[in-house]
Amino acid sequence: MNTKAIYMPKGKAGEYAKYACNFYVGCSNDCTYCYCKRGVLAHAMGKAKATLKKCFKDERDALRIFRSELQKYLPDLRKHGLFFTFTSDPLLKETRQLTFDAVSYAVSYGVPCKILTKRADFIDHIPGEWFVHDWYKTRIAFGFTLTGHDELEPGASPTLKRIEAMRTLHNYGFKTFASIEPIISLKETAEIIGQTTDICNLYKIGLLTGQKNYTPREVKLFMISLYAALLTGEAISNMFDKKLGFKVYLKDSMFEYTKLNRETFENGEPVFVSKDYNLFH
């Protein structure tokens, strides 16, 4: 795809969506673990303030290009949806209006959209028609990154505020999902899941890159407990204390670290969804 806004992510990002949209680079959430701050492109991708990508003249030009690209790939985007975003936070004060405009346009053409954020202060700015019409509520999903470590995300909204925002949107009828990546602490990850099982439709769970505060054995036990709980639909330990009806995707990093085989681990009884699970169906 020779495009400027819509593209096909690869690697770890590819486990989130087949198609994504990036308008901005840089982010004021200032997360210490952010992959955009690493590598040869860190000087351009890891800035502490969101700025429009240089390929766009301004926000109006970005939206014009986005609309053109969306029309070009419309059949595939209707099937697979569109993810916002991997190079910034799409719901920062300086990025949210363009995100809202792009999502509204995409949804008007039947393209489902997923928005991943670490913000909780955007709800009052969501277009009013999104709350009124089922056309929007059945095609827009809000996701929140939830690590439980606010000290590693000093510019983001506090975790409890994000969970509160998730609850509000879920109660309005929107699909919600959580990115539990990176896992900083297995115990806190279990607590976050326990706090949100009634308001979260899908969890995507992945490990911290580099040095970790847990062992492969501990991760394996966590995976087994989660697998068993999902298999029975009931909590089997104090790790998960509510009836379980959500979906879970375990990222490749979990299996690589534990040296488990995804197919063998599920032993013919698949309970974890695939990376291309359709959240809207």
Side-chain angles (χ1 to χ4, degrees), residues 115-168:
I115 309 170
L116 180 62
T117 185
K118 293 187 181 78
R119 307 304 311 175
D121 50 3
F122 62 89
I123 292 182
D124 291 341
H125 302 276
I126 293 174
E129 61 267 25
W130 290 15
F131 292 103
V132 175
H133 302 293
D134 287 344
W135 179 262
Y136 292 97
K137 288 193 282 188
T138 57
R139 290 170 175 81
I140 300 173
F142 289 93
F144 296 84
T145 299
L146 301 173
T147 68
H149 281 262
D150 294 345
E151 77 279 4
L152 302 181
E153 306 157 343
S157 297
T159 297
L160 291 179
K161 289 291 186 181
R162 287 177 240 172
I163 293 175
E164 182 181 321
M166 176 185 281
R167 185 173 301 280
T168 297

Side-chain angles (χ1 to χ4, degrees), residues 85-101:
T85 176
F86 288 112
T87 56
S88 184
D89 189 314
L91 295 178
L92 296 168
K93 182 178 180 180
E94 59 267 38
T95 65
R96 64 193 179 204
Q97 189 56 57
L98 181 53
T99 299
F100 291 151
D101 290 343

Side-chain angles (χ1 to χ4, degrees), residues 202-218:
L202 172 67
Y203 295 90
K204 291 211 169 189
I205 307 175
L207 300 184
L208 181 70
T209 300
Q211 187 174 354
K212 301 169 178 58
N213 297 319
Y214 38 81
T215 66
R217 180 178 180 276
E218 289 171 328

Side-chain angles (χ1 to χ4, degrees), residues 50 65 69 82 89 101 162 181-182 195 225 248 277-278 280:
I65 290 172
E69 293 177 358
L82 194 54
D89 189 314
D101 290 343
R162 287 177 240 172
E181 186 184 28
Q195 293 169 22
S225 293
V248 174
Y277 171 74
N278 190 333
F280 298 95

Side-chain angles (χ1 to χ4, degrees), residues 4-6 23 55-72 98 101-102 105:
K4 296 180 179 180
I6 299 172
F23 289 122
C55 60
F56 304 124
K57 297 176 183 177
D58 51 32
E59 276 78 4
R60 186 175 179 178
D61 180 57
L63 186 60
R64 179 186 62 79
I65 290 172
F66 170 83
R67 288 175 171 174
S68 175
E69 293 177 358
L70 184 130
Q71 292 295 335
K72 184 176 181 179
L98 181 53
D101 290 343
Y105 183 82

